[in-house]
Amino acid sequence: LSGIELGNFLIKRVVRSLKVEFPQIETFSTLSPIPGFRKWIGQCQNLGQRLLLPQEESIVSQLSQETGTASGDIEDQFNAILKHSSTFSDSETMGKLRPILSRLCARYILLEKRRHLALDPVANFHLRNGACAHRLNWLGDTSTKGMEESFGLMINYLYSLDHIEMNNQQYLQDGTISVSSRDTGFQKVLTDSKTNFRQDVGTGGAVGQEQEQGQGGEEGEVVQVNGSKFRLLEIVTA
């Protein structure tokens, strides 16, 4: 069985079998952990990388005053807030951190890579098996493990019968990640990270082949951000 994509084979088989047995089911989605997210933030901070956008710095500055962590530069304060014992037990603090952590998580899922594939192991598994990154879920897992791995964030990976084959082929070929265009957080991260940003709409290649084969209807808009490709899909869910 060496080299056989067992996950890909099994997931497609299960989805199609369920569709036959329960034709009323329209949406096939996972609720998945993001095990590498908090570790990645820690590594970025240890390397001195800047994670905050200018508009987020005022939020962090205010929180650092409230939590008594106002020392060092703003990135040091952010690091201290994330390590502070009271941060994740205070709903008001968590509410203020939500847009920052959600943006960083979207960036982690979409833009952080190992070679040309997703850095997060669970993301890599589902994307290589034909899923698209569909939606982030704030405080989806508030267990100790969930908070330690991803600050409680979880993600839905969506398996659309019309797109599984093409998503799988494009991801393995050049790392193209299919993204639900209905998640504004994912769209915003791609827009905000537009250094060397350009758009390629409906131009040949694997995307053109999808239309010729009649798989999936709308081929989706392909955008390139910092050398990585993303295919934005309009998928209606129940």
Side-chain angles (χ1 to χ4, degrees):
L1 297 177
S2 177
I4 296 178
E5 292 285 346
L6 289 180
N8 182 26
F9 173 77
L10 291 173
I11 287 174
K12 287 191 290 188
R13 181 175 178 180
V14 167
V15 167
R16 290 195 169 96
S17 295
L18 284 172
K19 188 64 177 174
V20 170
E21 188 172 355
F22 305 100
Q24 72 275 18
I25 295 179
E26 299 293 337
T27 304
F28 298 88
S29 178
T30 73
L31 180 59
S32 297
I34 311 171
F37 176 47
R38 189 164 187 169
K39 179 180 178 182
W40 169 75
I41 282 190
Q43 290 172 337
C44 290
Q45 291 172 331
N46 289 338
L47 292 171
Q49 296 182 17
R50 302 197 69 81
L51 295 174
L52 297 172
L53 299 177
Q55 60 267 33
E56 295 168 343
E57 292 181 355
S58 60
I59 298 173
V60 170
S61 179
Q62 178 189 354
L63 286 174
S64 69
Q65 295 292 334
E66 295 172 357
T67 57
T69 56
S71 62
D73 71 8
I74 198 68
E75 294 287 342
D76 291 333
Q77 292 173 29
F78 183 47
N79 187 10
I81 289 168
L82 295 182
K83 293 179 177 178
H84 196 274
S85 58
S86 68
T87 294
F88 299 103
S89 60
D90 185 88
S91 59
E92 186 176 347
T93 300
M94 286 296 285
K96 292 176 181 177
L97 285 174
R98 177 175 181 172
I100 300 174
L101 291 176
S102 295
R103 178 189 65 80
L104 288 171
C105 191
R107 168 185 161 181
Y108 170 69
I109 292 292
L110 298 183
L111 297 176
E112 299 303 317
K113 303 294 181 69
R114 178 180 286 112
R115 299 186 181 91
H116 68 288
L117 302 178
L119 177 62
D120 187 79
V122 175
N124 181 51
F125 173 81
H126 286 293
L127 294 171
R128 74 186 294 126
N129 288 318
C132 79
H134 181 57
R135 181 176 60 197
L136 289 175
N137 297 279
W138 178 249
L139 297 183
D141 181 4
T142 56
S143 69
T144 300
K145 184 173 184 288
M147 298 305 291
E148 289 177 349
E149 288 186 343
S150 63
F151 307 102
L153 278 153
M154 298 187 77
I155 182 173
N156 297 122
Y157 292 104
L158 184 67
Y159 286 86
S160 168
L161 287 173
D162 290 336
H163 296 283
I164 287 178
E165 295 288 350
M166 183 56 60
N167 291 348
N168 164 258
Q169 291 171 18
Q170 289 189 321
Y171 182 70
L172 293 179
Q173 176 181 310
D174 59 14
T176 297
I177 294 178
S178 292
V179 184
S180 172
S181 60
R182 292 178 175 267
D183 189 294
T184 55
F186 287 139
Q187 285 194 69
K188 189 172 189 306
V189 142
L190 294 179
T191 301
D192 289 346
S193 304
K194 57 185 177 183
T195 306
N196 300 321
F197 176 82
R198 69 183 180 83
Q199 293 182 299
D200 301 307
V201 184
T203 54
V207 174
Q209 292 171 13
E210 179 187 19
Q211 282 192 316
E212 291 171 10
Q213 295 167 0
Q215 296 178 357
E218 291 296 323
E219 63 183 76
E221 179 184 16
V222 177
V223 301
Q224 184 164 302
V225 179
N226 294 346
S228 297
K229 289 183 179 181
F230 304 90
R231 183 165 168 254
L232 303 181
L233 298 177
E234 281 283 349
I235 302 176
V236 178
T237 57

